[in-house]
Amino acid sequence: MLDIKFVRENPEVVKQNIRNKFQDSKLELVDKVLELDKENREIKQEVEALRAERNKISKQIGALMGQGRRDEAEAKKAEVASLKERSNALNAEFKEVSDALQAAIVTLPNFPADIVPEGKTAEDNLVVKLVESYTQLPENPLPHWELARKYDIIDFDLGVKLTGAGFPVYKGKGARLQRALINYFLDCNTRAGYLEVEPPIMVNEASGFGTGQLPDKEGQMYHATADNFYMIPTAEVPVTNIYRDVILDEKDFPVKMTAYTPCFRREAGSYGKDVRGLNRLHQFDKVEIVQLSLP
């Protein structure tokens, strides 16, 4: 999420970033954020002024009572009550504006890294590294989904019967391979100093906001509406949120964690050759590593 102070001081920079990401429909959102921020600070300033005035008058009441000037003290009490009523109304307004500001600013796009070139297609991408040697495939190689059928290790049709497309069933050596790979990666990661954790595979809204899945990617997640929980799209979500709202000392870095979880993604709108076989599944297994460190 962008820092409100940065947006306030650099609105044109934020707008240019939005143009660079071809999200011009969000340009007006910057102005909305600035308006809400201004209103928010004005309300806060008035609340603080009222609080100071109430404290000042409250001290006067004590002095008047000590001098036996009860009528004047009662008048001051009525004044304090009126100020308190006004403060309560402003506090409610402050919360409403603050919530609106939060809801608006979290939808502003983050900045890409400086090395990322502008572009709309894969051809515009920057080539950072090329692998020098590739595995030589035999003549007329079979794609993985045909190999899976040939050796009866993954059954896509059975997954459709049980649930739907994107939920394969691993069988025999396919199931053993899946299980072996999970253990292999967990063992490699723990030997490298990562703490293994086994997190929940459903998270609450706060966790979704914590790693940026919410508010604008809820359509990509499965939502258990009865409890307002979300099936995780990756272990990164619960594992990173372990340290949400936690302040770490510099000596605590790096924090290294690894986790295996099933992952769930609706992949709404996915189609074409890139979704064949094990690509773009709705449920898949993943071993994640998360490291919290200094830059």
Side-chain angles (χ1 to χ4, degrees):
M1 188 181 82
L2 298 184
D3 180 68
I4 184 59
K5 183 181 179 186
F6 181 87
V7 179
R8 186 189 307 141
E9 295 176 353
N10 304 277
E12 291 308 316
V13 175
V14 176
K15 287 183 178 181
Q16 187 57 49
N17 173 64
I18 291 173
R19 294 187 190 97
N20 293 346
K21 299 185 82 169
F22 305 103
Q23 298 183 14
D24 290 25
S25 61
K26 293 190 175 182
L27 286 171
E28 293 181 359
L29 191 58
V30 179
D31 295 325
K32 180 181 179 182
V33 166
L34 293 173
E35 290 171 11
L36 289 168
D37 174 53
K38 182 173 181 289
E39 186 178 355
N40 200 46
R41 286 183 291 125
E42 287 173 350
I43 295 171
K44 184 177 180 181
Q45 191 174 3
E46 188 174 352
V47 168
E48 290 173 350
L50 287 173
R51 183 184 298 116
E53 184 66 15
R54 281 171 54 196
N55 291 339
K56 176 183 172 184
I57 297 174
S58 294
K59 291 178 181 178
Q60 292 174 357
I61 292 171
L64 291 170
M65 292 293 284
Q67 297 168 15
R69 298 156 65 182
R70 185 172 296 276
D71 290 344
E72 293 179 56
E74 292 299 327
K76 291 291 185 183
K77 285 182 181 180
E79 193 175 342
V80 167
S82 176
L83 289 172
K84 185 176 181 180
E85 187 176 340
R86 172 62 179 156
S87 292
N88 290 339
L90 281 173
N91 281 324
E93 187 178 350
F94 178 76
K95 184 182 185 308
E96 186 178 331
V97 174
S98 294
D99 290 346
L101 175 60
Q102 176 72 7
I105 198 169
V106 295
T107 59
L108 287 176
N110 284 324
F111 281 38
D114 291 338
I115 67 166
V116 177
E118 292 183 32
K120 290 186 176 181
T121 67
E123 287 69 33
D124 298 318
N125 286 333
L126 175 70
V127 177
V128 177
K129 179 181 179 181
L130 288 172
V131 177
E132 294 178 357
S133 60
Y134 295 86
T135 299
Q136 295 298 314
L137 293 176
E139 189 175 350
N140 301 317
L142 294 176
H144 76 269
W145 53 86
E146 291 187 21
L147 288 170
R149 182 176 288 109
K150 178 180 178 180
Y151 294 108
D152 195 27
I153 56 176
I154 307 173
D155 195 325
F156 297 101
D157 295 332
L158 183 55
V160 171
K161 172 187 175 182
L162 298 178
T163 309
F167 295 90
V169 175
Y170 299 86
K171 300 162 61 178
K173 290 183 179 179
R176 290 181 63 192
L177 176 61
Q178 189 82 339
R179 175 161 49 88
L181 284 170
I182 292 167
N183 286 331
Y184 170 76
F185 283 113
L186 285 173
D187 289 345
C188 283
N189 295 345
T190 52
R191 281 198 298 269
Y194 286 80
L195 173 70
E196 182 180 350
V197 295
E198 186 174 341
I201 59 173
M202 300 178 78
V203 294
N204 55 29
E205 274 190 349
S207 294
F209 274 95
T211 45
Q213 274 69 35
L214 298 176
D216 61 345
K217 297 180 181 65
E218 58 265 44
Q220 298 176 24
M221 293 191 290
Y222 288 99
H223 187 194
T225 56
D227 299 297
N228 198 26
F229 293 155
Y230 290 88
M231 305 294 289
I232 62 170
T234 163
E236 172 194 342
V237 177
V239 173
T240 305
N241 273 281
I242 290 173
Y243 286 92
R244 186 180 79 241
D245 299 329
V246 174
I247 296 175
L248 293 167
D249 288 329
E250 189 169 334
K251 63 180 175 58
D252 296 325
F253 291 113
V255 175
K256 301 166 71 175
M257 297 172 288
T258 185
Y260 154 69
T261 63
C263 303
F264 304 88
R265 300 183 186 181
R266 294 189 63 239
E267 295 291 2
S270 294
Y271 63 94
K273 65 181 179 61
D274 294 329
V275 302
R276 290 292 303 273
L278 295 177
N279 294 325
R280 316 302 286 182
L281 295 178
H282 294 308
Q283 178 181 329
F284 57 93
D285 293 315
K286 184 149 77 86
V287 173
E288 182 72 81
I289 57 173
V290 170
Q291 186 173 149
L292 309 179
S293 69
L294 298 172

